[in-house]
Amino acid sequence: MFPRRAPGHRLATAAVALGLLCSLNTSAWAGARDPAHGSARITRVPSAAGSETPLSGFAIRSTADVGDSAAAVSSPGYPAKGWYPAGPRSTVLAALLADGVYDDPFVSTNLQKIPKSLFQVPWWYRSDFTVADPAHRTYLDFSGVISAADVYVNGRQVATTADVTGAYTRHELDVTSLVKDGTNTVAFRIQPNNPNKNLTMGWLDWLQPPPDQNMGIVRDVLVRRGGPVALRDAHVVTKLAVPSLETADLTVKAQARNDSDAPVTAEVSGTVAGVTLTRSVELAAHQTRTVTFAPTDTPGLHLTSPKVWWPAGMGGQPLYDLDLTASVGGTASDTAHESFGIRDVRAPLNSDGARQYSINGRRLLIKGGGWSPDEFLRWDRAYVEDRLKYAVDLGLNAVRLEGHIEPDEFFDLADRLGVLTLPGWECCDKWEGQTNPGESGEKWTATDYRVAQASMAAEAARLRDHPSVVSFLIGSDAAPDATIEKNYLDALDAADWTVPVVPAASDKSTPQLGSSGMKMTGPYDWVPPGYWYAKREGGATGFNSETSAGPDIPTLDTLRRMMTPAELDTLWKNPDAKQYHRSPSATFGTLKVYDAALTGRYGAPKSLTDYVRKAQLAQYENVRAQYEAYERNQTDASKPSTGVVYWMFNSGWTSLHWQLMDRYLDQGGAYFGAKKANEPLHVQYSYDDRSVAVVNNRHTPVSGLTARATLFNPDGTQKYDRTVTGVSVQGDGAHSTALALPVSVSGLASTYLARLTLTDADGREVSRNVYWLSTRSDTLDWAKTDWWHTPTTGYADLTGLSSMAQVPVTATASTTEADGTSTTTVTVHNAGTGKTPSLLTDVHLVDANGRPVLPVRWSDNAVSLWPGESATLTATYRTADLHGSSPQVRVSGWNALERTVPAGAPEPSVPLSSR
């Protein structure tokens, strides 16, 4: 994740992870015990050919507390008294948290109090399942074991830790001979994990690591049933005609495997995209053959007018289905199903050596964020969907997964929502132990090479049909060496991988793939907004795979949930204090750099509330500038920007840095700064040359626009005003310069406001953007740039904002409800009688107790209103998240008097047809 460390620089700690998060729920399995002896509930497995039944949960216990033999533990009827219930995907600690063994680890330093010694020995995971017809073949199919496991079925060992190792390797165990009618038992003896020794996952300096190092099983364990012939590896290779998009060729592949001792003839039949498929396949005993359907032998697979998949904001997200059945003697033996999308992804290097993505023939700027699962890898589909919807709401088009590659449902959601994904292996631990000597990962053994290649093969087969997956990064800070690269590419080729493979997220190369076309130049800590406009270091040129101005202080509501009063007091008073909720890294352990900038630019905080309000302004302006700079430069003739990944999109716990929203999904300045910058049609100020540019992220060109720029002193006195008509701008990220603000304006205060507006040909305002600026620029010491930031030697003077008079902002709100979704409409109005605007007016949806209702998606927020101006905003959210309360609206802002008004109980909306 972090490049360019000086010799000896290491991250202070590392841990492990895979999967995703259960947000406010601790576990769907809390309390799910068999009343007789505390074991997990029994999974009933049907006999239907092709059925895949996930084990519904486990009972777990430390081997230090279990004296019985493996044969006894893994036998039906074993009395698992005192064992802890665990969900179907659960780390050890996640199960203990769900069972109430420890206090909320996201609060204060509770995580620190959990003893690590408990997780230095193996833990048992056992589960019972029933079958009614043992004559059918039965398989265990699983991945996501952290770090390794011995596997037993009905008292017999079926795999060892030498066989089952690595978080991503996939395993299919034929247990037909061991399965009996009635209750059966599967047991895993899970080994402790160390990400510097095992090819699993680590947390690096993202957060305080979990004391169990995420040991457990974090993906489903499937019980598969079938007949003599199994269908495996079914997938569809698509080839779209670009740029016409008028035709597409589909090639269907699957492996037919005869698991019996006699030769058979299997009929493989099915449908894809409305086309009927059928093929007779002769198989010798235990033979596997690849069955292929191509346009050359099945003309219907040459589609005309295919339904093309696009990222959100560029088009729709249609999906196709493949369904196959293998039959023997007229009886179904196995089935396979896959969903897929048709799209074309390319990412060549441009003339500057930067990687430039295009989809379906249209170039696009990758605008993303770094994705994090829950620290304890708890999976909650609704919570994941909420975050991906936030990405769409922010105008982002991608998330990068550096390791921690999520379960299948994550990519299903990304497919449906149109969010591009950039999965890849992580940095700095065992994954780069062979090639990154500056980090703590151990050198690879011969076994590690095999595990890594098997991991690549499993992930390639799992991800290849998802249209949202547009790359795989086989390296992060370091690129693999020639042997590792060849192993990865062989696995990808064997899986029919069709989208770009990138050598590294940093500026590294490999023998076959060549240059990565990416940069990892930081920053990771505070820099001023103007930094992003320099075409050097982390500035807006090329593809920056991970970067941000570091800390993102949450809202006051969230801070009070995650920290004690004493900790909050230290937060705003002591910049030198180590902040447990920032990072275990010595580099990022405090907020010293950030706090110095906050004080230097805005003035010393006077209270916790003042600290937080200044933080929201600082985060808004910085995140906005980062995305705006990359947006403006994307079509430049020289050194264009091609991609930017905000580090990070979210955090896996309650954090003080690297997040556009907090763990509870509350939104502050960082969120709304990103949302403003990524508007489809956007007017913006350029910190480098004072130009006012119009950026068009839509495909269609726009003309007849009017841009206006007005400058004000903090008291609202107007000092400059200019309007330019007839502005036009091409589409697909093009920009036009409407005007440039003068270098000097008579009577302008050292701190001033710039209001930019953009109206269309009909006079409707389509974009408004307000900046707080200074006649004194921030000064960067470029010569002392290191891997994590560029020092600032002089700060812009924004202290004049503190002189802004408080203004009354009134609000009226009403709420409607339909199909479980409520919409609250809020009109906020600056009722002041003077000239002073209300700067960054925030509207929060809260319940009757004043607690935020989350998640919520606002049409707009953090708006700035001049006297007499109003703005109407809408908030959309699940009615159930009110928990029976009536919604209220809390209005506050930089200089707005805080008030809370009722929003009315949700009323059913009336369809137009019945009005």
Side-chain angles (χ1 to χ4, degrees):
M1 179 181 96
F2 292 121
R4 300 181 39 199
R5 297 186 180 90
H9 259 159
R10 296 194 179 192
L11 303 182
T13 16
V16 201
L18 172 142
L20 228 151
L21 159 61
C22 164
S23 166
L24 304 179
N25 294 337
T26 50
S27 173
W29 263 82
R33 298 188 182 203
D34 184 301
H37 48 70
S39 65
R41 65 177 64 155
I42 296 175
T43 304
R44 290 171 175 79
V45 176
S47 300
S51 65
E52 299 179 357
T53 307
L55 294 178
S56 53
F58 295 92
I60 71 170
R61 190 74 175 178
S62 170
T63 57
D65 299 326
V66 178
D68 299 311
S69 67
V73 168
S74 61
S75 295
Y78 176 76
K81 293 181 179 178
W83 288 43
Y84 299 100
R89 310 169 186 175
S90 180
T91 66
V92 172
L93 186 50
L96 299 182
L97 291 170
D99 209 40
V101 177
Y102 300 109
D103 292 335
D104 186 346
F106 292 109
V107 173
S108 187
T109 57
N110 287 346
L111 182 66
Q112 207 171 33
K113 300 171 186 176
I114 301 173
K116 297 178 182 178
S117 59
L118 296 175
F119 314 107
Q120 302 303 309
V121 299
W123 278 66
W124 278 112
Y125 277 58
R126 74 180 308 280
S127 187
D128 293 332
F129 65 92
T130 61
V131 299
D133 186 356
H136 282 73
R137 303 201 72 82
T138 304
Y139 311 85
L140 292 179
D141 187 337
F142 58 91
S143 64
V145 172
I146 300 177
S147 65
D150 296 298
V151 187
Y152 298 82
V153 172
N154 290 345
R156 296 279 299 277
Q157 186 166 16
V158 294
T160 68
T161 55
D163 306 312
V164 179
T165 183
Y168 299 104
T169 54
R170 185 172 180 178
H171 310 276
E172 184 180 59
L173 306 178
D174 188 338
V175 295
T176 304
S177 64
L178 298 176
V179 170
K180 60 183 181 180
D181 185 21
T183 300
N184 298 269
T185 299
V186 57
F188 294 79
R189 185 164 53 202
I190 306 292
Q191 296 299 309
N193 183 50
N194 182 333
N196 290 321
K197 298 177 181 293
N198 308 117
L199 290 169
T200 51
M201 287 162 288
W203 289 102
L204 309 170
D205 45 10
W206 298 11
L207 44 73
Q208 299 293 347
D212 72 339
Q213 301 279 38
N214 292 135
M215 68 182 298
I217 303 176
V218 296
R219 292 183 183 172
D220 285 339
V221 177
L222 302 175
V223 182
R224 302 180 70 163
R225 307 300 305 283
V229 173
L231 274 180
R232 297 293 185 265
D233 204 37
H235 62 284
V236 182
V237 181
T238 67
K239 186 176 181 180
L240 177 65
V242 174
S244 71
L245 313 185
E246 293 177 356
T247 63
D249 288 338
L250 308 183
T251 300
V252 176
K253 293 185 178 182
Q255 290 186 350
R257 187 183 70 207
N258 180 7
D259 285 336
S260 73
D261 297 326
V264 298
T265 298
E267 288 291 327
V268 178
S269 60
T271 59
V272 63
V275 179
T276 300
L277 310 172
T278 183
R279 183 72 45 81
S280 181
V281 184
E282 293 184 359
L283 296 167
H286 302 289
Q287 182 185 14
T288 298
R289 291 181 59 185
T290 299
V291 183
T292 302
F293 301 91
T296 53
D297 54 53
T298 310
L301 296 179
H302 178 75
L303 305 185
T304 57
S305 301
K307 294 180 288 184
V308 177
W309 188 95
W310 292 93
M314 297 180 71
Q317 293 78 45
L319 297 173
Y320 288 88
D321 291 312
L322 166 68
D323 289 287
L324 293 176
T325 299
S327 301
V328 177
T331 300
S333 179
D334 201 2
T335 62
H337 172 82
E338 287 289 317
S339 293
F340 64 96
I342 297 175
R343 51 88 176 101
D344 177 271
V345 180
R346 302 179 191 184
L349 303 183
N350 65 15
S351 60
D352 297 306
R355 195 161 294 274
Q356 175 65 70
Y357 281 80
S358 67
I359 189 161
N360 304 331
R362 284 165 56 181
R363 184 176 64 176
L364 78 160
L365 172 74
I366 294 292
K367 297 181 295 182
W371 183 271
S372 174
D374 168 59
E375 176 168 2
F376 310 109
L377 307 186
R378 295 169 292 189
W379 174 260
D380 184 322
R381 185 184 186 280
Y383 185 69
V384 171
E385 183 172 8
D386 288 336
R387 283 184 289 166
L388 288 174
K389 285 181 175 179
Y390 269 12
V392 175
D393 181 57
L394 286 171
L396 304 184
N397 56 26
V399 292
R400 177 184 165 213
L401 293 83
E402 187 200 353
H404 311 86
I405 305 176
E406 297 287 17
D408 295 340
E409 295 96 324
F410 174 89
F411 296 97
D412 292 338
L413 286 167
D415 292 344
R416 184 167 61 81
L417 295 172
V419 178
L420 304 178
T421 63
L422 303 167
W425 305 128
E426 66 193 44
C427 92
C428 310
D429 53 22
K430 185 59 177 276
W431 284 101
E432 292 186 350
Q434 194 66 19
T435 56
N436 195 345
E439 295 302 332
S440 53
E442 293 186 355
K443 292 288 187 180
W444 285 19
T445 65
T447 297
D448 294 321
Y449 283 90
R450 293 193 298 271
V451 170
Q453 186 171 19
S455 300
M456 185 75 266
E459 289 303 287
R462 191 173 70 93
L463 300 177
R464 63 192 163 195
D465 276 340
H466 289 283
S468 60
V469 178
V470 293
S471 271
F472 199 95
L473 281 70
I474 58 173
S476 182
D477 288 30
D481 62 24
T483 301
I484 299 172
E485 179 194 31
K486 183 180 185 302
N487 289 346
Y488 285 155
L489 294 181
D490 287 349
L492 288 159
D493 289 343
D496 292 322
W497 189 262
T498 61
V499 297
V501 181
V502 181
S506 58
D507 184 13
K508 297 292 193 301
S509 301
T510 51
Q512 292 190 55
L513 294 174
S515 171
S516 70
M518 293 191 172
K519 66 178 183 179
M520 193 187 283
T521 48
Y524 301 96
D525 211 330
W526 192 87
V527 291
Y531 171 97
W532 302 106
Y533 282 85
K535 289 195 173 185
R536 59 180 296 179
E537 308 300 339
T541 180
F543 195 121
N544 199 339
S545 67
E546 49 183 59
T547 187
S548 76
D552 286 302
I553 305 301
T555 64
L556 196 55
D557 293 297
T558 291
L559 286 171
R560 286 172 171 158
R561 291 180 71 174
M562 62 186 263
M563 300 171 77
T564 66
E567 290 165 343
L568 292 174
D569 208 40
T570 300
L571 176 65
W572 74 272
K573 288 181 178 179
N574 188 356
D576 294 324
K578 288 186 177 181
Q579 294 293 340
Y580 187 71
H581 284 268
R582 188 166 185 211
S583 171
S585 162
T587 303
F588 304 116
T590 74
L591 291 165
K592 186 174 182 178
V593 174
Y594 176 86
D595 286 351
L598 207 65
T599 295
R601 300 174 90 241
Y602 289 96
K606 299 178 178 64
S607 64
L608 175 63
T609 300
D610 187 47
Y611 178 80
V612 174
R613 67 197 277 268
K614 286 173 176 171
Q616 302 315 311
L617 248 66
Q619 288 154 201
Y620 186 102
E621 63 164 344
N622 217 313
V623 174
R624 175 178 60 180
Q626 177 177 333
Y627 281 113
E628 284 182 338
Y630 274 85
E631 291 264 9
R632 191 202 66 178
N633 290 358
Q634 63 183 299
T635 55
D636 285 1
S638 175
K639 293 187 175 181
S641 55
T642 62
V644 59
V645 176
Y646 187 86
W647 207 250
M648 295 178 67
F649 177 73
N650 69 294
S651 177
W653 81 324
T654 42
S655 179
L656 297 172
H657 76 164
W658 297 345
Q659 56 189 358
L660 290 176
M661 79 290 298
D662 64 43
R663 183 195 180 256
Y664 304 113
L665 302 184
D666 205 355
Q667 306 145 321
Y671 187 96
F672 292 114
K675 183 176 173 69
K676 175 57 64 177
N678 293 312
E679 290 177 323
L681 185 62
H682 180 63
V683 62
Q684 65 183 62
Y685 169 77
S686 304
Y687 283 84
D688 58 343
D689 60 10
R690 303 179 61 82
S691 64
V692 174
V694 179
V695 178
N696 183 13
N697 288 306
R698 298 167 176 164
H699 182 53
T700 306
V702 184
S703 60
L705 301 172
T706 297
R708 182 183 180 187
T710 313
L711 305 184
F712 302 86
N713 282 341
D715 64 0
T717 303
Q718 181 176 309
K719 290 299 179 180
Y720 174 86
D721 189 32
R722 185 181 173 194
T723 299
V724 177
T725 60
V727 178
S728 61
V729 58
Q730 296 298 308
D732 293 331
H735 77 270
S736 291
T737 300
L739 59 99
L741 297 181
V743 175
S744 177
V745 175
S746 177
L748 196 64
S750 59
T751 303
Y752 64 96
L753 303 177
R755 183 183 67 194
L756 310 181
T757 60
L758 187 69
T759 52
D760 64 15
D762 296 322
R764 291 175 300 208
E765 186 174 281
V766 292
S767 179
R768 169 185 283 227
N769 211 347
V770 175
Y771 295 80
W772 38 105
L773 303 169
S774 174
T775 56
R776 187 175 73 200
S777 299
D778 296 290
T779 306
L780 287 156
D781 189 352
W782 292 103
K784 293 185 179 178
T785 298
D786 52 32
W787 67 267
W788 55 282
H789 83 315
T790 297
T792 304
T793 56
Y795 296 111
D797 178 15
L798 301 176
T799 58
L801 296 179
S802 295
S803 69
M804 294 179 70
Q806 285 197 323
V807 296
V809 176
T810 63
T812 58
S814 62
T815 302
T816 59
E817 192 274 347
D819 299 323
T821 298
S822 286
T823 300
T824 295
T825 302
V826 185
T827 298
V828 287
H829 175 73
N830 183 339
T833 56
K835 297 180 180 179
T836 307
S838 169
L839 181 63
L840 222 64
T841 305
D842 174 80
V843 185
H844 249 69
L845 186 76
V846 298
D847 63 16
N849 295 314
R851 295 173 299 206
V853 178
L854 300 167
V856 60
R857 290 188 298 281
W858 287 94
S859 59
D860 195 6
N861 210 325
V863 295
S864 296
L865 302 171
W866 268 251
E869 288 186 335
S870 299
T872 298
L873 319 173
T874 58
T876 306
Y877 53 98
R878 288 185 292 263
T879 306
D881 289 334
L882 287 168
H883 302 293
S885 175
S886 293
Q888 299 186 89
V889 169
R890 185 179 68 208
V891 180
S892 61
W894 175 255
N895 62 322
L897 296 168
E898 183 176 313
R899 65 180 64 204
T900 301
V901 299
E907 297 181 0
S909 58
V910 181
L912 288 173
S913 58
S914 62
R915 291 179 181 173

